[in-house]
Amino acid sequence: MNEPEVRPHIDAALVRRLIAAQFPRWAHLPVEQVLPGGNDNRTFRLGETMTVRLPSATGYAGQVRKEQRWLPELAPLLPLPIPAPVAAGTPGEGFPFPWSVNRWLEGRPAREHRIADVRAFAVDLAGFLTALQRIDPTGGPAPALHTGFRGGPLRTYDADTRTAIDALRDGEVPGALATEIWEKALGAGWPGPPVWFHGDIAWGNLLVDGDGRLSAVIDFGCMGVGDPACEAVIAWTLFTGESRRAFREALGVDDATWARARGWALWKALIVLAASRETDEASAAESRRVLAGIFSEYVAAD
C-alpha cells in the first residue's frame, strides 16, 4: 500500500522551534522565508550564512538524505558553488520529515532580465552540466520517485501526456503536432551509460551575481544518475534562438537526446497548462509560451 501523502504546515515559527530544539547554538539567529518558494521544499534563511530546507510533502522527504550524502562529494568537482550541508535535522516539533541546514549562497534567481548576456549564460550553464556528467556515477541514486522519475524513461509519463493533449485539443494546442513530438521523443532511446543529472534545471534554481552572470546552482533534490536529457528542458523554458543553439552546441547534445529533452519540456508544459488554464492565468500563460517555443523550434528543425 502506498504511503499516504502528508503536507505539514511550514512557517518561520516551526523553523525556530526546530532550530531551538535540535541546534540551540543557532536559536538566537533570525529566520526569514526565502521567496519565491519552491514546490518540493520550503527554504528559510537562518542568520546571514545558512538556510533551512524542509521537504513540503511525503514524496519529497527522500531527497533530504540524498542531498546530504552526495552534495559534499560533487561540490569539489564542479565549476560553480552548490549547496553545502551544515547539519542534518530530524523529525520533531510536529514536523514529520528529515530536514537540512545548508550554507547560504549569494545571488538572485536567474530571471531573464537579470542575465547580462543570455548566450554567455547558456554556455556557462552547459559547462556546469558537462562537468556534472563527467563525475563518476558509481553508487549514485537511480531514477525513482525521489527524482520525479527524471533520468528514467519518458514513457513513465505517457498516459499523463496523452491525457493532457486530449484535454487541450479545444484550440489550446495542435493535438496532432504535440502527439508527433511526444512519440518521436518516446522513440529516441538512451543508449549511453548513466551519468549524473541535476534533475530540475530551471531559472529558480540558477543564481546570478551582481554582474548578471551564472554564479551558483541550487536545489539538487531531484538529482540522480541516469539519462541526462531532462537537463536540457531549459532550452525551451528560458533560452530562445541563438542562446538555445549555443546551449545545445556547448552541451554537445545529439539529436536523440534533444528529442527526449523536448519531450520532457512538452510533458511538463502540457500538464501544467491542463491543470491551470482555468485557475492560474500566470502559470497557464507561461506554459503557453513554452509550448509555442517547442512547436516552432520543432517545425523549424524538422
Side-chain angles (χ1 to χ4, degrees):
M1 182 178 294
N2 292 333
E3 184 179 0
E5 184 80 343
V6 176
R7 290 186 172 272
H9 177 71
I10 301 172
D11 58 15
L14 170 65
V15 174
R16 293 187 190 99
R17 293 197 305 271
L18 286 167
I19 292 295
Q22 299 185 29
F23 306 107
R25 63 188 180 279
W26 297 326
H28 66 287
L29 297 175
V31 172
E32 181 180 357
Q33 186 167 7
V34 176
L35 297 173
N39 179 65
D40 297 7
N41 295 270
R42 302 289 180 265
T43 302
F44 296 78
R45 189 164 185 175
L46 177 63
E48 294 296 318
T49 63
M50 293 178 287
T51 64
V52 177
R53 179 172 162 86
L54 304 95
S56 63
T58 306
Y60 310 122
Q63 298 177 356
V64 175
R65 292 190 178 92
K66 177 178 63 174
E67 288 185 309
Q68 293 169 348
R69 163 69 177 84
W70 288 104
L71 289 178
E73 292 200 21
L74 299 178
L77 305 174
L78 293 170
L80 292 169
I82 65 174
V86 175
T90 58
E93 303 301 312
F95 186 73
F97 309 132
W99 50 283
S100 293
V101 180
N102 295 335
R103 290 291 179 197
W104 173 262
L105 289 172
E106 292 293 342
R108 302 184 70 188
R111 286 288 196 184
E112 188 172 2
H113 68 273
R114 294 179 181 141
I115 300 172
D117 183 331
V118 179
R119 185 185 185 283
F121 181 95
V123 172
D124 289 346
L125 176 59
F128 175 89
L129 296 174
T130 299
L132 178 62
Q133 292 170 20
R134 288 174 178 162
I135 298 173
D136 183 359
T138 301
L145 178 62
H146 64 87
T147 72
F149 299 101
R150 292 170 179 84
L154 270 170
R155 197 165 294 280
T156 301
Y157 292 112
D158 187 36
D160 291 345
T161 302
R162 294 182 190 276
T163 297
I165 291 172
D166 287 342
L168 296 168
R169 284 182 185 272
D170 57 348
E172 282 281 14
V173 301
L177 180 59
T179 301
E180 178 181 329
I181 294 171
W182 180 246
E183 291 181 347
K184 183 169 287 189
L186 291 179
W190 167 244
V195 297
W196 278 104
F197 60 86
H198 174 280
D200 192 13
I201 294 296
W203 66 265
N205 294 330
L206 306 172
L207 302 183
V208 294
D209 60 21
D211 294 324
R213 294 186 62 90
L214 180 63
S215 62
V217 179
I218 61 174
D219 193 350
F220 280 70
C222 288
M223 71 176 170
V225 295
D227 176 6
C230 59
E231 304 288 68
V233 167
I234 199 167
W236 294 273
T237 58
L238 179 62
F239 303 138
T240 60
E242 178 58 27
S243 60
R244 182 185 292 141
R245 289 189 290 272
F247 176 70
R248 180 176 181 179
E249 181 179 352
L251 196 57
V253 175
D254 61 23
D255 289 345
T257 301
W258 195 248
R260 295 194 309 281
R262 190 189 290 116
W264 280 108
L266 179 72
W267 157 72
K268 186 62 175 289
L270 286 170
I271 63 169
V272 172
L273 179 56
S276 66
R277 59 180 174 154
E278 296 181 357
T279 60
D280 185 343
E281 181 52 39
S283 293
E286 176 62 13
S287 294
R288 292 186 185 102
R289 183 192 67 80
V290 172
L291 287 168
I294 292 170
F295 297 143
S296 62
E297 183 267 345
Y298 176 79
V299 170
D302 192 34

Coordinates of all heavy atoms in Angstrom, one line a residue, residues 129-212:
L129 N 26.9 21.7 -16.5 CA 26.2 20.4 -16.7 C 27.2 19.3 -17.2 O 27.1 18.1 -16.9 CB 25.0 20.5 -17.6 CG 23.9 21.4 -17.0 CD1 22.8 21.6 -18.0 CD2 23.3 20.8 -15.7
T130 N 28.0 19.7 -18.1 CA 29.0 18.8 -18.7 C 29.9 18.3 -17.6 O 30.3 17.1 -17.5 CB 29.8 19.5 -19.8 OG1 28.9 19.9 -20.8 CG2 30.9 18.6 -20.4
A131 N 30.4 19.2 -16.7 CA 31.2 18.8 -15.6 C 30.5 17.9 -14.7 O 31.1 16.9 -14.2 CB 31.7 20.1 -14.8
L132 N 29.3 18.1 -14.4 CA 28.5 17.2 -13.6 C 28.4 15.8 -14.2 O 28.6 14.8 -13.5 CB 27.1 17.8 -13.4 CG 26.1 17.0 -12.5 CD1 26.6 16.8 -11.1 CD2 24.7 17.6 -12.5
Q133 N 28.2 15.8 -15.5 CA 28.0 14.5 -16.2 C 29.3 13.7 -16.3 O 29.3 12.5 -16.4 CB 27.5 14.7 -17.6 CG 26.0 15.2 -17.6 CD 25.5 15.7 -19.0 OE1 26.1 15.3 -20.0 NE2 24.5 16.5 -19.0
R134 N 30.4 14.4 -16.1 CA 31.7 13.7 -16.1 C 32.1 13.1 -14.8 O 33.1 12.3 -14.7 CB 32.8 14.7 -16.6 CG 32.7 15.0 -18.1 CD 33.7 16.1 -18.4 NE 33.7 16.5 -19.8 CZ 34.2 17.6 -20.3 NH1 34.8 18.5 -19.5 NH2 34.1 17.8 -21.6
I135 N 31.4 13.4 -13.7 CA 31.7 12.8 -12.4 C 31.3 11.3 -12.4 O 30.3 10.9 -12.9 CB 31.0 13.6 -11.3 CG1 31.5 15.1 -11.3 CG2 31.2 13.0 -10.0 CD1 30.7 16.0 -10.4
D136 N 32.2 10.5 -11.8 CA 31.9 9.1 -11.6 C 30.6 8.9 -11.0 O 30.3 9.3 -9.9 CB 33.0 8.5 -10.8 CG 32.9 7.0 -10.7 OD1 32.0 6.4 -11.2 OD2 33.8 6.4 -10.0
P137 N 29.7 8.2 -11.7 CA 28.3 7.9 -11.2 C 28.2 6.7 -10.3 O 27.1 6.4 -9.8 CB 27.5 7.8 -12.4 CG 28.4 7.1 -13.4 CD 29.8 7.6 -13.1
T138 N 29.3 6.0 -10.0 CA 29.2 4.8 -9.2 C 28.5 5.0 -7.9 O 28.9 5.9 -7.1 CB 30.6 4.2 -9.0 OG1 31.3 4.0 -10.3 CG2 30.5 2.9 -8.2
G139 N 27.5 4.2 -7.7 CA 26.8 4.3 -6.4 C 25.7 5.3 -6.3 O 25.0 5.4 -5.3
G140 N 25.6 6.2 -7.3 CA 24.7 7.3 -7.3 C 23.2 6.8 -7.4 O 22.9 5.7 -7.8
P141 N 22.3 7.6 -6.9 CA 20.9 7.2 -6.8 C 20.2 7.1 -8.2 O 20.3 8.0 -9.0 CB 20.2 8.3 -6.0 CG 21.1 9.5 -6.2 CD 22.5 9.0 -6.4
A142 N 19.6 6.0 -8.5 CA 18.9 5.7 -9.7 C 17.6 6.4 -9.8 O 17.0 6.8 -8.7 CB 18.7 4.2 -9.9
P143 N 17.1 6.7 -11.0 CA 15.8 7.4 -11.1 C 14.7 6.6 -10.4 O 14.6 5.4 -10.4 CB 15.5 7.4 -12.6 CG 16.9 7.3 -13.2 CD 17.7 6.5 -12.3
A144 N 13.8 7.4 -9.7 CA 12.7 6.8 -8.9 C 11.9 8.0 -8.5 O 12.0 9.1 -9.0 CB 13.2 6.0 -7.7
L145 N 11.0 7.8 -7.5 CA 10.1 8.9 -7.1 C 10.9 10.1 -6.6 O 10.5 11.3 -6.8 CB 9.2 8.4 -5.9 CG 8.3 9.4 -5.3 CD1 7.3 9.9 -6.3 CD2 7.5 8.8 -4.1
H146 N 12.1 9.9 -5.9 CA 12.9 11.0 -5.4 C 13.4 11.9 -6.5 O 13.8 13.0 -6.2 CB 14.0 10.5 -4.5 CG 15.0 9.6 -5.3 ND1 16.1 10.2 -5.9 CD2 15.1 8.3 -5.5 CE1 16.8 9.2 -6.5 NE2 16.2 8.1 -6.3
T147 N 13.5 11.4 -7.8 CA 13.9 12.3 -8.9 C 12.7 12.8 -9.7 O 12.9 13.4 -10.7 CB 14.9 11.5 -9.8 OG1 14.1 10.6 -10.6 CG2 16.0 10.9 -9.1
G148 N 11.5 12.5 -9.3 CA 10.4 12.7 -10.1 C 10.4 11.9 -11.4 O 9.8 12.2 -12.4
F149 N 11.2 10.8 -11.3 CA 11.4 9.8 -12.4 C 12.2 10.5 -13.5 O 12.3 9.9 -14.6 CB 10.1 9.2 -12.9 CG 9.4 8.4 -11.8 CD1 8.3 9.0 -11.1 CD2 9.9 7.2 -11.4 CE1 7.7 8.2 -10.1 CE2 9.2 6.4 -10.4 CZ 8.2 7.0 -9.8
R150 N 12.7 11.7 -13.3 CA 13.7 12.2 -14.3 C 14.9 11.4 -14.3 O 15.3 10.8 -13.3 CB 14.0 13.7 -13.9 CG 12.8 14.6 -14.0 CD 13.1 16.0 -13.4 NE 12.1 16.9 -13.6 CZ 11.0 17.0 -12.7 NH1 10.9 16.2 -11.7 NH2 10.1 17.9 -12.9
G151 N 15.5 11.3 -15.4 CA 16.7 10.4 -15.6 C 16.2 9.0 -16.1 O 17.1 8.2 -16.5
G152 N 15.0 8.7 -16.0 CA 14.4 7.5 -16.4 C 13.7 7.6 -17.7 O 13.8 8.7 -18.4
P153 N 13.0 6.6 -18.2 CA 12.3 6.7 -19.5 C 11.1 7.7 -19.5 O 10.3 7.7 -18.5 CB 11.8 5.3 -19.7 CG 11.7 4.6 -18.4 CD 12.8 5.3 -17.6
L154 N 11.0 8.4 -20.5 CA 9.8 9.3 -20.7 C 8.5 8.6 -20.6 O 7.5 9.1 -20.2 CB 9.9 10.0 -22.0 CG 10.6 11.3 -22.1 CD1 10.8 11.7 -23.6 CD2 9.9 12.4 -21.4
R155 N 8.5 7.3 -21.0 CA 7.2 6.5 -21.0 C 6.5 6.5 -19.7 O 5.3 6.2 -19.6 CB 7.5 5.1 -21.5 CG 6.3 4.4 -22.0 CD 6.6 3.2 -22.8 NE 7.3 3.5 -24.1 CZ 6.6 3.9 -25.2 NH1 5.3 4.0 -25.1 NH2 7.3 4.2 -26.3
T156 N 7.2 6.8 -18.6 CA 6.6 6.9 -17.3 C 5.4 7.9 -17.3 O 4.4 7.7 -16.6 CB 7.6 7.4 -16.2 OG1 8.7 6.4 -16.2 CG2 7.0 7.5 -14.9
Y157 N 5.5 8.9 -18.1 CA 4.5 9.9 -18.2 C 3.7 9.9 -19.5 O 3.1 10.9 -19.9 CB 5.2 11.3 -18.0 CG 5.7 11.5 -16.6 CD1 7.1 11.6 -16.4 CD2 4.9 11.6 -15.5 CE1 7.6 11.8 -15.1 CE2 5.4 11.7 -14.2 CZ 6.7 11.8 -14.0 OH 7.2 12.0 -12.8
D158 N 3.7 8.8 -20.2 CA 3.0 8.7 -21.4 C 1.5 8.9 -21.3 O 0.9 9.7 -22.0 CB 3.2 7.3 -22.0 CG 2.7 7.2 -23.4 OD1 2.7 8.1 -24.2 OD2 2.2 6.1 -23.8
A159 N 0.9 8.2 -20.3 CA -0.6 8.4 -20.1 C -0.9 9.8 -19.8 O -1.9 10.4 -20.3 CB -1.1 7.4 -19.1
D160 N -0.2 10.4 -18.8 CA -0.5 11.8 -18.4 C -0.4 12.8 -19.6 O -1.2 13.7 -19.7 CB 0.5 12.2 -17.3 CG 0.3 11.5 -16.0 OD1 -0.8 10.9 -15.9 OD2 1.2 11.5 -15.2
T161 N 0.7 12.6 -20.4 CA 0.9 13.5 -21.6 C -0.3 13.3 -22.6 O -0.8 14.4 -23.1 CB 2.2 13.2 -22.2 OG1 3.3 13.3 -21.3 CG2 2.5 14.1 -23.4
R162 N -0.6 12.1 -22.9 CA -1.7 11.9 -23.9 C -3.0 12.4 -23.4 O -3.9 13.0 -24.1 CB -1.8 10.5 -24.3 CG -0.6 10.0 -25.0 CD -0.7 8.5 -25.5 NE 0.5 8.0 -26.0 CZ 1.0 8.1 -27.2 NH1 0.3 8.8 -28.1 NH2 2.1 7.6 -27.6
T163 N -3.3 12.3 -22.1 CA -4.5 12.8 -21.5 C -4.5 14.3 -21.6 O -5.6 14.9 -21.9 CB -4.6 12.4 -20.0 OG1 -4.7 10.9 -19.9 CG2 -5.8 13.0 -19.3
A164 N -3.4 15.0 -21.3 CA -3.3 16.4 -21.4 C -3.5 16.9 -22.8 O -4.2 17.9 -23.1 CB -2.0 16.9 -20.8
I165 N -2.9 16.2 -23.8 CA -3.1 16.6 -25.2 C -4.6 16.5 -25.6 O -5.1 17.4 -26.2 CB -2.3 15.7 -26.1 CG1 -0.8 16.0 -25.9 CG2 -2.7 15.9 -27.6 CD1 0.1 15.0 -26.7
D166 N -5.3 15.4 -25.2 CA -6.7 15.3 -25.4 C -7.5 16.4 -24.8 O -8.4 17.0 -25.4 CB -7.2 13.9 -25.0 CG -6.7 12.8 -25.8 OD1 -6.3 13.1 -27.0 OD2 -6.7 11.6 -25.4
A167 N -7.1 16.8 -23.6 CA -7.9 17.8 -22.8 C -7.7 19.2 -23.5 O -8.5 20.1 -23.3 CB -7.5 17.8 -21.4
L168 N -6.6 19.4 -24.2 CA -6.2 20.7 -24.7 C -6.5 20.8 -26.2 O -6.1 21.8 -26.8 CB -4.7 21.0 -24.4 CG -4.4 21.1 -22.9 CD1 -2.9 21.1 -22.7 CD2 -5.0 22.4 -22.3
R169 N -7.1 19.9 -26.8 CA -7.3 19.9 -28.2 C -8.3 21.0 -28.6 O -8.5 21.3 -29.8 CB -7.8 18.6 -28.7 CG -6.8 17.5 -28.8 CD -7.3 16.2 -29.4 NE -6.4 15.1 -29.3 CZ -5.5 14.9 -30.3 NH1 -5.5 15.6 -31.4 NH2 -4.7 13.9 -30.3
D170 N -9.1 21.5 -27.6 CA -10.1 22.5 -28.0 C -9.5 23.9 -28.2 O -9.9 24.9 -27.7 CB -11.1 22.6 -26.8 CG -10.5 22.9 -25.5 OD1 -9.2 22.9 -25.4 OD2 -11.2 23.2 -24.5
G171 N -8.6 23.9 -29.1 CA -8.0 25.2 -29.5 C -6.7 25.6 -28.8 O -6.1 26.6 -29.1
E172 N -6.4 24.9 -27.7 CA -5.2 25.3 -26.9 C -3.9 24.8 -27.5 O -3.0 25.6 -27.6 CB -5.3 24.7 -25.5 CG -6.2 25.4 -24.5 CD -5.6 26.7 -24.0 OE1 -4.6 27.1 -24.5 OE2 -6.2 27.2 -23.0
V173 N -3.9 23.6 -28.0 CA -2.7 23.1 -28.6 C -3.0 22.3 -29.9 O -4.1 21.8 -30.0 CB -1.9 22.1 -27.7 CG1 -1.5 22.8 -26.4 CG2 -2.7 20.9 -27.4
P174 N -2.1 22.3 -30.9 CA -2.3 21.4 -32.1 C -2.1 20.0 -31.7 O -0.9 19.6 -31.5 CB -1.3 22.0 -33.0 CG -0.2 22.6 -32.2 CD -0.9 23.1 -30.9
G175 N -3.1 19.2 -31.5 CA -3.0 17.9 -31.0 C -2.2 17.0 -31.8 O -1.3 16.2 -31.2
A176 N -2.3 17.0 -33.1 CA -1.5 16.1 -33.9 C 0.0 16.4 -33.8 O 0.8 15.5 -33.8 CB -2.0 16.2 -35.4
L177 N 0.3 17.7 -33.8 CA 1.7 18.1 -33.7 C 2.3 17.7 -32.4 O 3.4 17.2 -32.3 CB 1.9 19.6 -34.0 CG 3.3 20.1 -33.9 CD1 4.2 19.5 -34.9 CD2 3.3 21.7 -34.1
A178 N 1.6 18.0 -31.3 CA 2.0 17.6 -30.0 C 2.2 16.1 -29.9 O 3.2 15.6 -29.3 CB 1.0 18.1 -28.9
T179 N 1.3 15.3 -30.4 CA 1.5 13.9 -30.4 C 2.7 13.4 -31.2 O 3.4 12.5 -30.7 CB 0.2 13.2 -30.9 OG1 -0.9 13.6 -30.1 CG2 0.3 11.7 -30.9
E180 N 2.9 14.0 -32.3 CA 4.1 13.7 -33.1 C 5.4 13.9 -32.4 O 6.3 13.1 -32.3 CB 4.1 14.5 -34.4 CG 5.3 14.2 -35.3 CD 5.2 15.0 -36.6 OE1 4.1 15.4 -37.1 OE2 6.3 15.4 -37.1
I181 N 5.5 15.1 -31.7 CA 6.7 15.4 -30.9 C 6.9 14.4 -29.8 O 8.0 14.0 -29.5 CB 6.6 16.9 -30.4 CG1 6.6 17.9 -31.5 CG2 7.7 17.2 -29.4 CD1 6.3 19.3 -31.1
W182 N 5.8 14.1 -29.1 CA 5.8 13.2 -28.0 C 6.3 11.8 -28.4 O 7.2 11.2 -27.8 CB 4.5 13.1 -27.3 CG 4.4 12.2 -26.1 CD1 3.7 11.0 -26.0 CD2 5.2 12.3 -24.9 NE1 4.0 10.5 -24.8 CE2 4.8 11.2 -24.1 CE3 6.1 13.3 -24.4 CZ2 5.4 11.0 -22.8 CZ3 6.6 13.1 -23.1 CH2 6.3 12.0 -22.4
E183 N 5.7 11.3 -29.5 CA 6.0 10.0 -30.0 C 7.5 9.9 -30.5 O 8.1 8.9 -30.3 CB 5.0 9.5 -31.0 CG 3.7 9.3 -30.4 CD 2.6 8.8 -31.4 OE1 2.9 8.9 -32.6 OE2 1.5 8.3 -31.0
K184 N 7.9 11.0 -31.1 CA 9.3 11.0 -31.5 C 10.3 11.0 -30.3 O 11.3 10.3 -30.3 CB 9.6 12.2 -32.4 CG 11.0 12.3 -32.9 CD 11.2 13.4 -34.0 CE 10.6 13.0 -35.3 NZ 10.9 13.9 -36.4
A185 N 9.9 11.6 -29.2 CA 10.7 11.6 -28.0 C 10.7 10.2 -27.4 O 11.7 9.7 -26.9 CB 10.1 12.6 -27.0
L186 N 9.5 9.6 -27.4 CA 9.5 8.2 -26.8 C 10.3 7.2 -27.6 O 10.9 6.3 -27.1 CB 8.0 7.7 -26.9 CG 7.0 8.4 -25.9 CD1 5.6 7.8 -26.1 CD2 7.5 8.2 -24.5
G187 N 10.4 7.5 -28.9 CA 11.2 6.6 -29.8 C 12.7 6.8 -29.8 O 13.5 6.1 -30.4
A188 N 13.1 7.9 -29.1 CA 14.6 8.3 -29.1 C 15.2 7.7 -27.8 O 15.2 8.4 -26.8 CB 14.7 9.8 -29.2
G189 N 15.7 6.5 -27.9 CA 16.2 5.9 -26.7 C 17.5 6.4 -26.2 O 18.2 7.1 -27.0
W190 N 17.9 6.1 -25.0 CA 19.1 6.5 -24.4 C 20.1 5.3 -24.3 O 19.9 4.4 -23.5 CB 18.9 7.0 -23.0 CG 20.1 7.2 -22.1 CD1 20.4 6.6 -21.0 CD2 21.2 8.1 -22.4 NE1 21.6 7.0 -20.5 CE2 22.1 7.9 -21.3 CE3 21.5 9.0 -23.4 CZ2 23.3 8.7 -21.2 CZ3 22.7 9.7 -23.3 CH2 23.6 9.6 -22.2
P191 N 21.0 5.2 -25.2 CA 21.9 4.0 -25.2 C 23.1 4.1 -24.3 O 23.9 3.1 -24.1 CB 22.4 4.0 -26.7 CG 22.4 5.5 -27.1 CD 21.3 6.1 -26.3
G192 N 23.4 5.3 -23.8 CA 24.6 5.5 -23.1 C 24.6 5.0 -21.6 O 23.5 4.6 -21.1
P193 N 25.7 5.0 -21.0 CA 25.8 4.7 -19.5 C 25.1 5.8 -18.7 O 25.0 6.9 -19.1 CB 27.3 4.6 -19.2 CG 27.9 5.5 -20.2 CD 27.0 5.4 -21.5
P194 N 24.6 5.5 -17.5 CA 24.1 6.5 -16.7 C 25.1 7.6 -16.3 O 26.3 7.3 -16.0 CB 23.5 5.8 -15.4 CG 24.3 4.5 -15.4 CD 24.6 4.2 -16.8
V195 N 24.6 8.8 -16.2 CA 25.5 9.9 -15.8 C 24.8 10.7 -14.7 O 23.5 10.6 -14.6 CB 25.9 10.8 -16.9 CG1 26.7 10.0 -18.0 CG2 24.7 11.5 -17.6
W196 N 25.5 11.6 -14.0 CA 24.9 12.4 -13.0 C 24.0 13.5 -13.7 O 24.4 14.1 -14.7 CB 25.9 13.2 -12.2 CG 26.5 12.4 -11.0 CD1 27.7 11.7 -11.0 CD2 25.8 12.1 -9.8 NE1 27.8 11.1 -9.8 CE2 26.7 11.3 -9.0 CE3 24.6 12.5 -9.3 CZ2 26.4 10.9 -7.7 CZ3 24.2 12.0 -8.0 CH2 25.1 11.3 -7.2
F197 N 22.8 13.8 -13.1 CA 22.0 14.9 -13.6 C 21.4 15.6 -12.4 O 21.3 15.0 -11.3 CB 20.8 14.3 -14.5 CG 19.9 13.4 -13.8 CD1 18.8 13.8 -13.0 CD2 20.1 12.0 -13.9 CE1 18.0 12.9 -12.4 CE2 19.3 11.1 -13.3 CZ 18.2 11.6 -12.5
H198 N 21.2 16.9 -12.5 CA 20.6 17.7 -11.5 C 19.1 17.5 -11.3 O 18.6 17.3 -10.2 CB 20.9 19.2 -11.9 CG 20.2 20.2 -10.9 ND1 18.9 20.5 -11.0 CD2 20.7 20.9 -9.9 CE1 18.6 21.4 -10.1 NE2 19.7 21.7 -9.4
G199 N 18.4 17.4 -12.5 CA 17.0 17.0 -12.4 C 16.0 18.1 -12.5 O 14.8 17.9 -12.8
D200 N 16.4 19.3 -12.2 CA 15.4 20.4 -12.2 C 16.2 21.7 -12.5 O 16.2 22.7 -11.8 CB 14.8 20.5 -10.8 CG 13.6 21.5 -10.8 OD1 13.1 21.8 -11.9 OD2 13.1 21.8 -9.7
I201 N 16.8 21.8 -13.7 CA 17.5 23.0 -14.2 C 16.4 24.0 -14.7 O 15.9 23.8 -15.8 CB 18.5 22.6 -15.3 CG1 19.6 21.7 -14.7 CG2 19.1 23.9 -15.9 CD1 20.4 22.4 -13.7
A202 N 16.1 24.9 -13.8 CA 15.1 26.0 -14.1 C 15.6 27.3 -13.5 O 16.5 27.3 -12.7 CB 13.8 25.6 -13.5
W203 N 15.1 28.4 -14.0 CA 15.6 29.7 -13.6 C 15.7 29.9 -12.1 O 16.6 30.5 -11.6 CB 14.8 30.8 -14.3 CG 13.4 30.9 -13.8 CD1 12.3 30.4 -14.4 CD2 12.9 31.6 -12.6 NE1 11.1 30.7 -13.7 CE2 11.5 31.5 -12.6 CE3 13.5 32.4 -11.6 CZ2 10.7 32.0 -11.6 CZ3 12.7 32.9 -10.6 CH2 11.3 32.7 -10.6
G204 N 14.7 29.3 -11.4 CA 14.6 29.5 -9.9 C 15.8 28.7 -9.2 O 16.0 29.0 -8.0
N205 N 16.4 27.8 -9.9 CA 17.5 27.0 -9.2 C 18.8 27.4 -9.8 O 19.8 26.8 -9.5 CB 17.3 25.5 -9.5 CG 16.0 25.0 -8.8 OD1 15.6 25.5 -7.7 ND2 15.4 24.0 -9.4
L206 N 18.9 28.5 -10.5 CA 20.1 29.1 -11.0 C 20.3 30.5 -10.5 O 19.3 31.3 -10.6 CB 20.1 29.1 -12.5 CG 19.8 27.8 -13.2 CD1 19.7 28.0 -14.7 CD2 20.9 26.8 -12.9
L207 N 21.4 30.8 -9.9 CA 21.6 32.1 -9.3 C 22.6 33.0 -10.2 O 23.5 32.4 -10.8 CB 22.2 32.0 -7.9 CG 21.4 31.2 -6.9 CD1 22.0 31.3 -5.5 CD2 19.9 31.7 -6.8
V208 N 22.3 34.3 -10.2 CA 23.2 35.2 -10.9 C 23.8 36.2 -9.9 O 23.1 36.5 -8.9 CB 22.5 35.9 -12.1 CG1 22.1 34.9 -13.2 CG2 21.3 36.7 -11.6
D209 N 25.0 36.6 -10.2 CA 25.6 37.6 -9.4 C 25.3 39.0 -9.8 O 24.4 39.2 -10.7 CB 27.2 37.4 -9.4 CG 27.8 37.6 -10.7 OD1 27.2 38.2 -11.6 OD2 28.9 37.0 -10.9
G210 N 25.9 40.0 -9.2 CA 25.6 41.4 -9.5 C 25.9 41.8 -10.9 O 25.4 42.8 -11.4
D211 N 26.8 41.0 -11.6 CA 27.1 41.3 -12.9 C 26.3 40.6 -13.9 O 26.5 40.7 -15.1 CB 28.6 41.0 -13.2 CG 29.6 41.9 -12.4 OD1 29.2 43.1 -12.2 OD2 30.6 41.4 -11.9
G212 N 25.3 39.9 -13.4 CA 24.4 39.2 -14.3 C 24.9 37.9 -14.9 O 24.4 37.4 -15.9

